[in-house]
Amino acid sequence: MIHHANPHANVAQVLDNLDAIRVLDPHGMLDLTERFPDQCRDALQISRDFLAAQGAPARPSSIIITGLGGSAIGGDLVRALVEIGGDVPVIVNRDYRLPGFAGPNTLVIASSYSGNTEETVSAYEHARDLGCPRICITSGGELARHAARDGVPCCIVPGGRPPRASTGYLFIPTLAVVAASVDLGAQCGLNAVDASLGHLDELAAEWRRENPVSDNPAKELAVALHGRIPIFYGAQGWTSVLALRWKGQFNENAKVHAFANALPEQNHNEILGWTRASQQSSIWSVVYLRDPQETEDQPRIARRIAVLQAVIASSAEQHEVWAAGDSLMERLLGTLYYGDFVSVYAALLAGVDPTDIAGIDLLKGEMANLNGNGR
Ligand code: F6R
């Protein structure tokens, strides 16, 4: 971590005040975050039961995971894992329609926690029109009804949570379905998730509310990012997916603008934004999501980060988050989990309810008042 003096020492006190946290987080986002390892345990069981009941899907020539927001990011992670260990192309679709290549050999996984996201329901219908084999992952809603109508396998997960606090219930069944139809290799499959649960328990104990700022890296980073505009950088692959996840969590939980990008692409355009960044704002903070394996797997990326840090040095505070864990899956899930905690603590520091998503609800409501499904 590149350290800077912390100007928010007083603000930080709220994070060690358990009564204040209860008031600031009336709908229990922190509680859901603390219980993420148990959600993953439950999701593993649900996924295994689902596969046992449905059997493995036939091997497709391509896979499309379609969803939005919190229901898409698990798909992005699965895509990144397939790129490491698998031999079938996977794309994540965030639109009303599927891309033109979709057809009878394309497995379409429709992922919507609520089951009522119009883009996802529309993409499901498009997949049906195109004759794609389909699987749905949802807690219910229209998507579950469409699946029942069509006799399409549907993995039903427990409802009642915000989708972004249901990543275990969305990522793990998606991985289960993909791993059942494509050979992913041991480090990327369900057993790797299973083997990571103890690690997640340890992280939950380290980052939970009872651990004070002085001994809690999640609170510490939230304090460092308080009042600033965070920009998350990862490397092409799973750390860049997590950069997007951290950005989304800061947007939705802390209600702030946040940005994400991936190296090496960042080095070919966005790097020039730093030329005049200090004239635009003095509150940039860059967070690099790094994997200790990168020095071995992507040595030129490590070098690029070093050069980029020198370019940015005078314009922003910079932090490094190093993924911790023995296996790829531990590092991936642990870094995902870290961002969830940091963003919830960032919301509490800002005095905003992390669960509230009034702007998203308003937009969904307005769209629901229109006729048609957008295709
Ligand atoms: C809300 C959230 C959103 C939703 C998105 C799609 O917590 O994370 O990004 O995930 O609006 O809704 P669902 O997940 O119900 O399909």
Side-chain angles (χ1 to χ4, degrees):
M1 174 119 20
I2 301 166
H3 277 293
H4 293 266
N6 179 5
H8 302 301
N10 291 338
V11 187
Q13 286 167 4
V14 75
L15 296 184
D16 292 342
N17 180 336
L18 300 187
D19 291 332
I21 288 180
R22 264 189 293 279
V23 174
L24 289 167
D25 182 22
H27 304 101
M29 182 63 85
L30 185 55
D31 188 48
L32 286 175
T33 306
E34 286 164 340
R35 290 190 287 121
F36 176 66
D38 286 338
Q39 181 186 131
C40 290
R41 279 189 180 89
D42 194 32
L44 261 179
Q45 192 56 50
I46 290 170
S47 304
R48 287 180 168 142
D49 292 348
F50 175 72
L51 284 180
Q54 297 297 334
R59 185 183 156 84
S61 60
S62 58
I63 298 175
I64 298 175
I65 302 163
T66 192
L68 279 296
S71 290
I73 203 77
D76 284 328
L77 288 173
V78 170
R79 175 187 52 73
L81 289 170
V82 176
E83 283 169 7
I84 296 169
D87 56 358
V88 165
V90 175
I91 68 151
V92 177
N93 182 66
R94 289 175 160 89
D95 201 359
Y96 291 91
R97 292 177 61 83
L98 299 179
F101 71 80
N105 294 322
T106 309
L107 173 63
V108 174
I109 302 173
S111 165
S112 169
Y113 184 72
S114 63
N116 292 322
T117 297
E118 66 170 35
E119 300 93 314
T120 313
V121 173
S122 162
Y124 169 92
E125 296 285 79
H126 194 200
R128 185 173 77 141
D129 295 350
L130 294 171
C132 307
R134 282 150 284 152
I135 289 180
C136 296
I137 299 170
T138 182
S139 69
E142 227 183 308
L143 196 58
R145 283 194 290 280
H146 283 32
R149 175 198 67 193
D150 299 340
V152 160
C154 186
C155 180
I156 298 283
V157 297
R161 295 168 178 74
R164 63 190 179 286
S166 312
T167 315
Y169 285 135
L170 296 161
F171 164 65
I172 294 172
T174 308
L175 182 65
V177 168
V178 171
S181 49
V182 177
D183 183 11
L184 282 190
Q187 66 167 350
C188 296
L190 277 200
N191 290 342
V193 175
D194 211 342
S196 302
L197 296 176
H199 180 64
L200 291 181
D201 287 332
E202 287 166 17
L203 296 175
E206 187 181 355
W207 298 333
R208 68 200 168 124
R209 71 187 79 190
E210 286 80 7
N211 266 9
V213 174
S214 55
D215 192 30
N216 187 326
K219 290 183 179 179
E220 196 190 3
L221 184 54
V223 171
L225 296 178
H226 180 61
R228 306 194 60 85
I229 305 171
I231 303 184
F232 302 103
Y233 286 149
Q236 191 61 38
W238 62 268
T239 57
S240 73
V241 174
L242 292 183
L244 190 63
R245 166 68 175 182
W246 279 59
K247 169 209 168 330
Q249 289 293 75
F250 266 76
N251 294 148
E252 292 191 55
N253 290 339
K255 268 62 95 175
V256 289
H257 269 309
F259 302 91
N261 208 340
L263 270 69
E265 177 66 17
Q266 190 277 1
N267 295 169
H268 298 273
N269 34 65
E270 185 168 310
I271 190 171
L272 292 181
W274 288 108
T275 314
R276 295 174 57 244
S278 53
Q279 292 165 47
Q280 291 184 289
S281 169
S282 57
I283 55 170
W284 305 111
S285 281
V286 177
V287 180
Y288 299 87
L289 302 181
R290 306 195 67 173
D291 180 10
Q293 270 296 113
E294 83 193 9
T295 12
E296 214 166 292
D297 296 350
Q298 305 165 289
R300 298 191 73 81
I301 290 290
R303 181 69 196 134
R304 282 178 182 277
I305 292 175
V307 176
L308 182 60
Q309 286 176 335
V311 169
I312 293 176
S314 59
S315 310
E317 292 186 1
Q318 304 191 75
H319 305 270
E320 293 185 341
V321 169
W322 284 92
D326 294 332
S327 68
L328 165 69
M329 195 62 82
E330 283 187 356
R331 296 197 301 279
L332 181 154
L333 289 174
T335 310
L336 171 93
Y337 197 22
Y338 191 34
D340 290 0
F341 262 106
V342 175
S343 66
V344 175
Y345 287 135
L348 302 180
L349 279 174
V352 295
D353 175 358
T355 305
D356 177 63
I357 49 163
I360 296 178
D361 289 341
L362 174 109
L363 212 117
K364 285 186 177 181
E366 292 292 322
M367 295 308 294
N369 291 336
L370 294 175
N371 289 328
N373 68 5
R375 271 212 288 139

Coordinates of all heavy atoms in Angstrom, one line a residue, residues 68-71 112-115 117 162-164 252 357 360 364, ligand 1:
L68 N -28.0 -8.2 -15.7 CA -27.6 -6.8 -15.5 C -27.2 -6.6 -14.0 O -27.6 -7.3 -13.1 CB -28.8 -5.9 -15.7 CG -29.2 -5.5 -17.1 CD1 -28.1 -4.6 -17.8 CD2 -29.7 -6.6 -18.0
G69 N -26.3 -5.7 -13.9 CA -25.9 -5.2 -12.5 C -25.4 -6.4 -11.6 O -24.5 -7.2 -12.0
G70 N -25.9 -6.5 -10.5 CA -25.5 -7.5 -9.5 C -25.8 -8.9 -10.0 O -25.1 -9.9 -9.5
S71 N -26.6 -9.1 -11.0 CA -26.9 -10.4 -11.5 C -26.0 -10.7 -12.7 O -26.1 -11.8 -13.3 CB -28.4 -10.5 -11.9 OG -29.2 -10.6 -10.8
S112 N -31.2 -13.4 -13.2 CA -31.8 -12.2 -12.6 C -32.3 -12.5 -11.2 O -33.2 -13.4 -11.0 CB -33.0 -11.7 -13.4 OG -33.7 -10.7 -12.7
Y113 N -31.7 -11.8 -10.2 CA -32.1 -12.2 -8.8 C -33.6 -12.0 -8.6 O -34.2 -12.9 -8.1 CB -31.3 -11.3 -7.9 CG -31.5 -11.8 -6.4 CD1 -31.0 -13.0 -5.9 CD2 -32.3 -11.0 -5.6 CE1 -31.3 -13.4 -4.6 CE2 -32.5 -11.4 -4.3 CZ -32.0 -12.6 -3.8 OH -32.3 -13.0 -2.5
S114 N -34.1 -10.9 -9.0 CA -35.5 -10.6 -8.8 C -36.4 -11.5 -9.8 O -37.5 -11.8 -9.5 CB -35.9 -9.2 -9.0 OG -35.6 -8.8 -10.3
G115 N -35.8 -11.7 -10.9 CA -36.6 -12.4 -12.0 C -37.4 -11.4 -12.8 O -38.1 -11.8 -13.7
T117 N -36.2 -8.2 -14.1 CA -35.5 -7.2 -14.9 C -35.8 -7.4 -16.4 O -35.6 -8.4 -17.0 CB -34.0 -7.4 -14.6 OG1 -33.7 -7.2 -13.2 CG2 -33.1 -6.4 -15.4
P162 N -31.0 -7.7 -1.4 CA -30.6 -6.9 -2.6 C -29.7 -7.9 -3.5 O -28.9 -8.6 -3.0 CB -29.7 -5.8 -2.0 CG -30.0 -5.8 -0.6 CD -30.4 -7.2 -0.2
P163 N -29.9 -7.8 -4.8 CA -29.2 -8.6 -5.7 C -27.6 -8.5 -5.5 O -26.9 -9.5 -5.5 CB -29.5 -8.1 -7.1 CG -30.9 -7.5 -6.9 CD -30.9 -7.0 -5.5
R164 N -27.1 -7.3 -5.2 CA -25.7 -7.2 -5.1 C -25.2 -7.8 -3.8 O -24.0 -8.1 -3.7 CB -25.3 -5.7 -5.1 CG -25.8 -4.9 -4.0 CD -25.6 -3.4 -4.2 NE -26.1 -2.5 -3.2 CZ -27.4 -2.2 -3.0 NH1 -28.3 -2.8 -3.8 NH2 -27.8 -1.4 -2.0
E252 N -23.5 1.7 -5.7 CA -24.8 1.3 -5.2 C -24.8 1.5 -3.7 O -25.9 1.8 -3.1 CB -25.1 -0.1 -5.6 CG -25.4 -0.2 -7.1 CD -26.0 -1.5 -7.5 OE1 -27.0 -1.9 -7.0 OE2 -25.4 -2.2 -8.4
I357 N -31.7 2.0 -2.9 CA -31.4 2.2 -4.4 C -32.5 2.9 -5.1 O -33.0 2.5 -6.1 CB -31.0 0.8 -5.1 CG1 -32.1 -0.2 -4.8 CG2 -29.7 0.3 -4.7 CD1 -32.1 -1.4 -5.8
I360 N -32.4 3.5 -8.9 CA -32.6 2.3 -9.8 C -34.1 1.9 -9.8 O -34.7 1.7 -10.8 CB -31.7 1.1 -9.3 CG1 -30.3 1.4 -9.4 CG2 -32.1 -0.1 -10.0 CD1 -29.3 0.3 -8.9
K364 N -36.7 1.7 -12.9 CA -37.4 0.4 -13.3 C -38.9 0.6 -13.3 O -39.6 0.1 -14.1 CB -37.0 -0.7 -12.3 CG -35.6 -1.3 -12.5 CD -35.3 -2.4 -11.6 CE -34.0 -3.0 -11.8 NZ -33.6 -4.2 -11.0
Ligands
F6R1 C1 -29.3 -4.1 -6.7 C2 -28.4 -4.4 -7.8 C3 -28.8 -4.1 -9.2 C4 -29.6 -5.3 -9.8 C5 -30.0 -5.0 -11.3 C6 -30.7 -6.1 -11.9 O1 -28.9 -4.6 -5.5 O2 -27.3 -5.0 -7.5 O3 -27.6 -3.9 -9.9 O4 -28.8 -6.5 -9.8 O5 -30.8 -3.8 -11.3 O6 -31.8 -6.6 -11.1 P1 -31.8 -8.2 -10.9 O7 -30.6 -8.6 -10.2 O8 -33.0 -8.4 -10.0 O9 -32.0 -8.8 -12.2

